[in-house]
Structures are given as C-alpha cells and as structure tokens.
Amino acid sequence: AVPLIWAVFSVLMRASREAGGLRAPACRRLNVAVAAASIWSAITVAFSPAFTSALVRTVDPVIYPAPLRAAAVAAHLVVAVFCLDAWRRSVDAPSPRTLIAGVLASLPLLSPSRGAELDSSSSVEYGFLALSFAVFTAMAVFSSFPLATIPSLLGKRMARAYGAWTLLASASLL
C-alpha cells in the first residue's frame, strides 16, 4: 500500500502547485478516495476486535494497545479531514449531495469504454484493473472469512482494513 499512497500524494502535491490543479476531476476523485480510505482505516483500527474476529483456525481478535489505537485513528482522521477540505475547496458548491453525485458519476468509469482521453487498448486495461480493484474492495469488506483475505493475502488481521487501499487503487486508475 505504501507505493500506492506515495504515488497518489505525489500526484496531489504536484497538482496543488498548479493554479486550479486540484480542481481536475481526477484530483477531486483522488482526494475523496484518500479520505474514504483513511476513514475506513480509522474505523477498522478503532473497532478492530469486531473486524478481525473470525471462526477460522483462531478466534483471537486483534486488540491494539490504547495509545497505538488512538494515534492511528487520529492520524487517519487528520488525513481524511485534510483531503475532504481539499475536495471542498476544489468544487463550486460543496455539499454532501455534490460529493455523492461525484462518486456516482465516477462509477461508469469502471467500464472498459472510458472515453477519448486514452486509446482503446489502454482504456480497456485501466477499466479492467479499476473494476478488479473495486471487486477486491467489495470482497475485503463484505465477504466472510476466509474469502475476505483473498484480495490481500494478509490474513484476518489486516484483510478488512486492506479494502480501503484497494479502493484507493481503483480510484487512482479511473
């Protein structure tokens, strides 16, 4: 996940140096995706026993020490607030409705025919990869164990949280 996070923040940092760079649809989408990934990560850390208990091999849920849990939740929430603020400043009429409309408008980008910005071969490949990462996200979040561990192969301790980063990978391909 670290190379993905590094690449996404590099793109956002480069865009922030240009006048109106963060207003580009791709940058708005990345800011929302980073915020969603950070919020999901904060939730999975805060409620780790609920997300890591499974009836496979072991039933020991992950319980983080309170200071570590507080620091991780705070770090993720700070990143989420920062990215949502960047998104808010990049749209004309920021509101939850605008946010939801933007997310829904991005869903058709998961299909292989994505438009004229890419040639047809690249369009199909990026569309397939974005859709694959979206499916991995859904598997990590909604599937029962052990199926939920397949996208990350990290085991039950990190499988649910990893869905946040496959979501970010999907959004970065759109």
Side-chain angles (χ1 to χ4, degrees), residues 9-156:
F9 277 104
S10 294
V11 166
L12 291 173
M13 222 169 33
R14 212 172 314 122
S16 70
R17 292 186 193 127
E18 300 170 9
L22 290 176
R23 288 184 162 275
C27 290
R28 291 195 312 255
R29 194 169 27 254
L30 286 178
N31 272 316
V32 170
V34 170
S38 294
I39 290 168
W40 180 249
S41 294
I43 290 169
T44 58
V45 169
F47 302 104
S48 61
F51 285 100
T52 59
S53 62
L55 298 175
V56 290
R57 284 196 182 160
T58 63
V59 291
D60 303 333
V62 174
I63 301 173
Y64 296 109
L68 177 62
R69 181 175 51 239
V73 168
H76 284 299
L77 291 179
V78 164
V79 169
V81 166
F82 177 75
C83 288
L84 286 175
D85 183 58
W87 172 84
R88 181 190 60 79
R89 289 182 281 122
S90 70
V91 295
D92 295 329
S95 70
R97 184 181 201 143
T98 306
L99 179 63
I100 292 168
V103 169
L104 292 176
S106 295
L107 292 179
L109 295 176
L110 290 171
S111 70
S113 59
R114 298 181 27 188
E117 78 273 4
L118 299 171
D119 66 38
S120 62
S121 171
S122 295
S123 177
V124 170
E125 291 166 0
Y126 281 108
F128 178 75
L129 285 173
L131 183 60
S132 298
F133 280 118
V135 169
F136 284 167
T137 299
M139 285 176 67
V141 174
F142 300 115
S143 296
S144 61
F145 289 111
L147 187 60
T149 62
I150 290 175
S152 63
L153 299 176
L154 294 174
K156 71 175 188 160

